[in-house]
């Protein structure tokens, strides 16, 4: 694993994402950096990659795009955090959703086939879950023919965040 990836993910994502899970989720994509900061158990962080425009092969300028992101919101009432996840998991068909998949502990994945960024091929996968008073969203951009694999990686990233929250972070 790239030591720069491990250092950047641990710093920006405050151990809510494990570098080895991030590296697996990135696959063959070229790690570029991280954005954002999670502090006090809430906030957001993103992992960026370097990509070329679709169809340009190895020529053309590189662009930095977000590939993975984690957002943690803190709610006063654990029931409201879980209710928020439930609403997203069951009432999103009007927002261009291609597929909804139920995950563990009330989590779900919401897939939109439309590319989320101009330079990425494929859609966007959002994994929604909660742990106690925390509302968690993991997003994977550029999902192409790898939806099942990307869902597996994103659910692992959600599990990593849940485990860190359970430890009292």
């Amino acid at each position: 694993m790239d030591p720069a990836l491990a250092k950047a993910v641990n710093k920006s994502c405050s151990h809510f994402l494990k570098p080895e899970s991030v590296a697996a989720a990135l696959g063959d994509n070229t790690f570029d950096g991280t954005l954002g900061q999670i502090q006090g158990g809430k906030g957001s962080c993103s992992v960026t990659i370097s990509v070329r425009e679709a169809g340009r092969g190895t020529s053309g300028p590189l662009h930095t795009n977000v590939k993975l992101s984690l957002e943690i919101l803190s709610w006063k009432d654990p029931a409201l955090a879980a209710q928020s996840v439930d609403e997203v998991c069951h009432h999103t068909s009007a927002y261009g959703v291609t597929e909804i998949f139920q995950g563990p502990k009330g989590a779900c994945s919401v897939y939109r086939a439309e590319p989320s960024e101009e330079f990425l091929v494929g859609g966007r996968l959002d994994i929604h879950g909660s742990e106690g008073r925390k509302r968690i969203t993991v997003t994977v951009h550029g999902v192409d023919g790898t939806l099942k694999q990307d869902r597996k990686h994103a659910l692992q990233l959600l599990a990593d965040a849940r485990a860190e929250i359970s430890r009292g972070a």
Side-chain angles (χ1 to χ4, degrees):
M1 179 187 0
D2 179 355
L5 179 148
K7 182 178 179 181
V9 167
N10 284 334
K11 181 178 178 187
S12 289
C13 302
S14 301
H15 302 281
F16 285 92
L17 295 180
K18 293 184 178 180
E20 54 274 11
S21 298
V22 170
L26 290 180
D28 293 335
N29 291 295
T30 303
F31 171 73
D32 182 71
T34 57
L35 304 167
Q37 185 74 41
I38 294 180
Q39 293 179 323
K42 60 186 175 186
S44 65
C45 66
S46 299
V47 178
T48 60
I49 59 171
S50 295
V51 295
R52 297 193 192 281
E53 280 186 62
R56 298 282 306 257
T58 58
S59 66
L62 284 171
H63 299 275
T64 298
N65 286 81
V66 172
K67 177 66 176 172
L68 305 170
S69 62
L70 170 68
E71 179 181 53
I72 301 174
L73 303 174
S74 187
W75 293 62
K76 291 184 180 194
D77 182 350
L80 292 177
Q83 178 183 344
S84 170
V85 170
D86 186 61
E87 288 174 2
V88 169
C89 293
H90 293 98
H91 304 287
T92 55
S93 60
Y95 300 105
V97 172
T98 305
E99 179 183 329
I100 297 175
F101 175 83
Q102 297 304 311
K105 293 176 61 178
C108 72
S109 68
V110 178
Y111 173 66
R112 291 170 178 82
E114 299 294 318
S116 53
E117 295 288 337
E118 179 181 350
F119 301 108
L120 293 177
V121 175
R124 172 181 164 163
L125 176 67
D126 294 308
I127 302 287
H128 301 278
S130 65
E131 185 69 26
R133 297 183 314 121
K134 305 294 184 178
R135 165 81 159 76
I136 310 160
T137 304
V138 174
T139 301
V140 180
H141 298 274
V143 177
D144 49 14
T146 60
L147 177 59
K148 187 175 179 180
Q149 178 181 332
D150 286 335
R151 183 184 299 121
K152 177 183 167 190
H153 289 302
L155 286 168
Q156 180 58 54
L157 294 168
L158 174 65
D160 292 349
R162 281 177 160 167
E164 187 67 17
I165 290 166
S166 291
R167 280 193 283 280

